[in-house]
Amino acid sequence: MGDASRLPGVECEDDDERIVLHVDADCFYASCERLRESALRGEPVVVGMGYEPGETIGAVATASYEAREFGVESAQAISSALERLPRRAALEPDADDYDPELTREETGFYRPVDMGYYESVASEVREILHDCADVLREVSIDEAYLDVTERTAWEVAGGFARHVKDRIRREVGVTVSVGVAPTMSTAKIASDFDKPDGLTVVEPGEIRSFLEPLDVDLLHGVGPVTARALRGMGLETAGDVAAADPEPLVDRFGERGRELYDRARGDDDRRVEPKGEPKSFSRESAFTEPVSEPEPKYELIETLAAAVADRARREGALYRTVGVKAVFPPYDVNTRERSLPGPVDDPALVEEIARELFEEFDTDAVRKLGVRVANLEFVAADQASLDSWEAEPASAESTVGGPEDDPKTDDNGTDCSSGQASLTDFS
C-alpha cells in the first residue's frame, strides 16, 4: 500500500517495528442482546442454555460484568449461575420458579444463545476492521488481530486504536478493548489489561517492563493448570519466567516451555496472517438514514453484487450460493439465499439473483444491505450450464429483533480515517 493510505503526516520507514492491534469485544453476546433490548443495559445479563424452569442441563456462554459481580462466569453450569443470580422472571407471581423473598437487585436477565444474530453484529465490526487494516486475522466471532504498520506510526498508534474503538462503538453499538504492541502475544495481553472498554499501548522497548510484573496466568496461552505448574516451579510472574533457565521449562512442558519462555521475554516473530481459505465473500454498506424507496436500495444491491462478484473472480473462486442481507432499524437482521446447481463465475447472475431475493424487502425501511456468495471452490472445475440453470427455492433465515474465544482480508484499500460507508465481508 502506498503512502496515501497512511494517516496524514506519518512518515514510513522500512525498518519500522510492526504495529499490531488485538481487538477483543467485551462480553460480546451480552452486548449484542443489549443492542436489541435496551432495557438490559446496566443490568446483569447471562447468555446460555438450560435456565428455564424444568431444564437441568446447560452452561453459561457469556456473563456481563454486572453478572460477574454475583460470581457468574463463562462455562459455569447454569444451575450454579441461577444459585448466584436468580432470574428476574422469578419475581413474577405466575412464574414456575417464583420466589417472594427475592428482590430486584438480587436478580438478572437470562437469554438464549442466538449465533445468527451475534454473527450479524460481528459482521458489522468486521466491516470497520477491514477498513482499518491491510492484514487481518480472525481468532473468533469477537476477536481479531490487525497489522496496521502501513496505516499509522508508533507516535500516533494510540490515537489510531482509539479511532477504531470509537468507530465500533458509534457505528455498531458494542464496546471493544484494544491492545497495541509490536507482537501478537503482547497485543493480546494488552487488550485484556484494562477491560472493559480498555486501550493499552505497549511501544517497542517497553515490552519487557510491561510483562515483568504480570502474574504468570496472564501470559498468552497460560491457563489455570499451567499457571499452577509454573508456580510450583517457583515462577510467579512473567518476569520470573523470563529470567529462568529455559531448560527446566522445556523438560516440564516440551516445546511449549520454550514458547512460554520466549513470550515472557516478549519474543514473538509471528506475523498477522489471514487464516485459511474463506468460505464466502460478501459486501455490505449502510445508509446514512433508513431508506424505504426501492430505487436507491436496488442501486446499492447492484453495486454490492458487482463488488462481491469481482472479488470472487480476482480470488479465482467459483460459488454455488448467492444471498442478500437486509437490516431494518434498529438491528433486525434478515437474510435470504438461493443455491445453484453447480459452481459458477457469473457477475450478471449474482446481480439478477440478489435483486430477486431482495424483492420482498423493497418497500421496507432498510438501514444496511449486503450481498454474499458462498460455497466457494478454489480449484479448476467445470461450471454448471447456465442455459439449463434452474435455481432451487430461496431459503429464508430471519433473526428478528429478539434472541465467545481468526476475518478474511478485505481489499477495498480504503483509508480507515474515511467516514464513508465501506464495502466489506459479512460472512
Side-chain angles (χ1 to χ4, degrees):
M1 171 166 292
D3 289 342
S5 66
R6 298 173 61 84
L7 293 179
V10 174
E11 299 297 329
C12 178
E13 297 181 9
D14 293 339
D15 60 351
D16 275 356
E17 293 276 0
R18 309 302 298 174
I19 305 176
V20 177
L21 271 59
H22 182 262
V23 179
D24 193 4
D26 301 319
C27 301
F28 183 60
Y29 296 174
S31 295
C32 291
E33 294 296 339
R34 286 169 167 166
L35 279 180
R36 61 182 173 187
E37 196 173 347
S38 60
L40 300 182
R41 293 173 184 168
E43 297 279 0
V45 178
V46 179
V47 179
M49 305 300 290
Y51 57 82
E52 293 288 355
E55 297 181 354
T56 58
I57 300 176
V60 176
T62 295
S64 70
Y65 285 95
E66 295 84 358
R68 294 179 190 184
E69 293 180 1
F70 290 84
V72 180
E73 300 175 353
S74 297
Q76 187 177 66
I78 205 74
S79 57
S80 297
L82 287 167
E83 290 176 2
R84 293 166 170 77
L85 181 68
R87 300 188 315 144
R88 181 67 53 86
L91 295 173
E92 300 298 327
D94 58 349
D96 292 341
D97 54 345
Y98 172 64
D99 185 345
E101 298 184 1
L102 283 178
T103 65
R104 181 181 179 88
E105 291 73 22
E106 299 173 305
T107 63
F109 292 90
Y110 284 73
R111 294 294 182 267
V113 176
D114 184 353
M115 290 304 300
Y117 175 59
Y118 306 152
E119 175 59 32
S120 72
V121 178
S123 72
E124 298 192 32
V125 177
R126 283 195 206 106
E127 174 181 345
I128 295 168
L129 300 185
H130 280 305
D131 201 26
C132 292
D134 299 309
V135 185
L136 201 71
R137 180 177 179 87
E138 180 182 3
V139 179
S140 66
I141 191 174
D142 61 346
E143 182 181 357
Y145 291 96
L146 288 68
D147 187 327
V148 299
T149 308
E150 297 299 322
R151 296 295 186 101
T152 186
W154 276 111
E155 293 81 1
V156 291
F160 186 93
R162 175 68 65 186
H163 174 71
V164 175
K165 283 171 53 66
D166 289 346
R167 279 194 62 183
I168 293 172
R169 178 189 290 107
R170 181 177 66 252
E171 298 176 26
V172 182
V174 300
T175 63
V176 300
S177 292
V178 179
V180 188
T183 68
M184 292 176 64
S185 56
T186 304
K188 164 68 173 175
I189 296 170
S191 70
D192 289 334
F193 192 72
D194 192 28
K195 273 182 168 286
D197 198 20
L199 171 58
T200 300
V201 179
V202 183
E203 295 191 9
E206 298 178 351
I207 296 180
R208 289 291 292 274
S209 61
F210 170 73
L211 295 176
E212 279 180 354
L214 300 181
D215 290 341
V216 289
D217 52 5
L218 296 180
L219 282 174
H220 182 38
V222 173
V225 174
T226 302
R228 285 196 297 270
L230 289 170
R231 291 192 175 100
M233 299 171 68
L235 307 175
E236 298 285 342
T237 67
D240 293 338
V241 177
D245 181 350
E247 294 309 316
L249 291 170
V250 175
D251 291 342
R252 176 65 177 81
F253 301 105
E255 285 304 311
R256 188 159 169 268
R258 171 63 68 173
E259 182 178 282
L260 289 172
Y261 174 76
D262 290 340
R263 300 290 168 79
R265 297 170 62 85
D267 297 335
D268 181 4
D269 60 1
R270 295 175 301 159
R271 293 297 182 98
V272 178
E273 297 178 347
K275 184 178 180 180
E277 291 182 340
K279 297 180 180 179
S280 64
F281 293 125
S282 54
R283 295 291 185 271
E284 63 181 47
S285 186
F287 294 107
T288 304
E289 299 290 342
V291 172
S292 298
E293 297 76 17
E295 184 175 353
K297 290 184 291 188
Y298 280 113
E299 289 178 355
L300 184 55
I301 286 287
E302 293 174 4
T303 300
L304 296 172
V308 75
D310 178 68
R311 172 75 184 276
R313 176 168 289 179
R314 286 185 287 108
E315 296 287 346
L318 306 179
Y319 35 87
R320 293 175 178 266
T321 301
V322 178
V324 298
K325 172 182 177 180
V327 181
F328 306 154
Y331 293 98
D332 176 354
V333 181
N334 294 268
T335 61
R336 300 290 186 268
E337 65 179 27
R338 182 173 298 167
S339 297
L340 310 178
V344 302
D345 170 16
D346 191 329
L349 186 60
V350 174
E351 178 184 330
E352 177 185 341
I353 295 175
R355 289 181 61 93
E356 291 176 357
L357 291 174
F358 187 73
E359 285 179 355
E360 65 176 285
F361 306 124
D362 63 2
T363 60
D364 293 306
V366 174
R367 61 176 291 266
K368 177 173 282 191
L369 294 174
V371 176
R372 173 176 180 258
V373 294
N375 293 328
L376 305 180
E377 292 188 13
F378 290 87
V379 296
D382 293 332
Q383 295 190 48
S385 170
L386 300 185
D387 292 336
S388 59
W389 175 78
E390 291 183 5
E392 299 175 11
S395 62
E397 301 175 12
S398 181
T399 306
V400 181
E404 265 117 301
D405 299 64
D406 292 325
K408 299 177 289 295
T409 304
D410 198 3
D411 56 356
N412 55 40
T414 304
D415 186 348
C416 181
S417 61
S418 169
Q420 299 298 317
S422 62
L423 309 181
T424 185
D425 295 336
F426 71 85
S427 57

